[in-house]
Amino acid sequence: QVQLVESGGGLVQAGGSLRLSCAASGRTFGSSVMGWFRQAPGKEREFVSRINWSGAITYYADSVKGRFTISRDNAKNTVYLQMNSLKPEDTAVYYCAADPDGPQTYWGQGTQVTVSS
């Protein structure tokens, strides 16, 4: 059974940092694109960042560029999202996704990030 489990969310003050982790089990995702998405209350899920299989190619939403860094450790089957200079508008449930372009996308259950002003 394939599982993606996010961790590292929590409550932080504006300007603070958090590091999210997404641990995969059930299969190896070393050749897969991995991504982070988020969904704020009352809003649709939106793209945050993605990383290719080797970690050499990364993309970010404009809203997080320069503040967030995605990385991966294929030996640990884990992808990370380092979030710095957090803002209240970053408050959302953050989801990890494997193969976000399909045809088979796997999603984690999400981890809550709350940034207080």
Side-chain angles (χ1 to χ4, degrees), residues 3 5 9 16 30 34 36 52 58 72 96 105 109:
Q3 274 194 314
V5 179
M34 301 293 291
W36 286 97
N52 79 322
T58 58
R72 66 190 296 164
C96 170
T105 300
Q109 84 290 348

Side-chain angles (χ1 to χ4, degrees), residues 26-69:
R27 57 160 280 193
T28 300
F29 288 98
S31 61
S32 301
V33 171
M34 301 293 291
W36 286 97
F37 294 75
R38 66 187 182 186
Q39 187 167 17
K43 296 187 176 181
E44 293 188 353
R45 190 173 298 188
E46 64 175 4
F47 165 76
V48 175
S49 182
R50 61 191 284 148
I51 187 168
N52 79 322
W53 70 273
S54 69
I57 302 174
T58 58
Y59 294 98
Y60 298 92
D62 288 343
S63 58
V64 308
K65 204 172 294 184
R67 301 187 297 120
F68 290 10
T69 303

Side-chain angles (χ1 to χ4, degrees), residues 3-11 17-24 35-37 76-83 92-97 107-113:
Q3 274 194 314
L4 300 177
V5 179
E6 300 98 334
S7 61
L11 173 63
S17 299
L18 285 173
R19 188 195 194 204
L20 305 184
S21 298
C22 172
W36 286 97
F37 294 75
K76 295 182 178 180
N77 224 18
T78 300
V79 63
Y80 305 96
L81 186 68
Q82 177 67 43
M83 305 187 296
V93 178
Y94 283 71
Y95 297 91
C96 170
W107 292 93
Q109 84 290 348
T111 185
Q112 176 71 47
V113 171

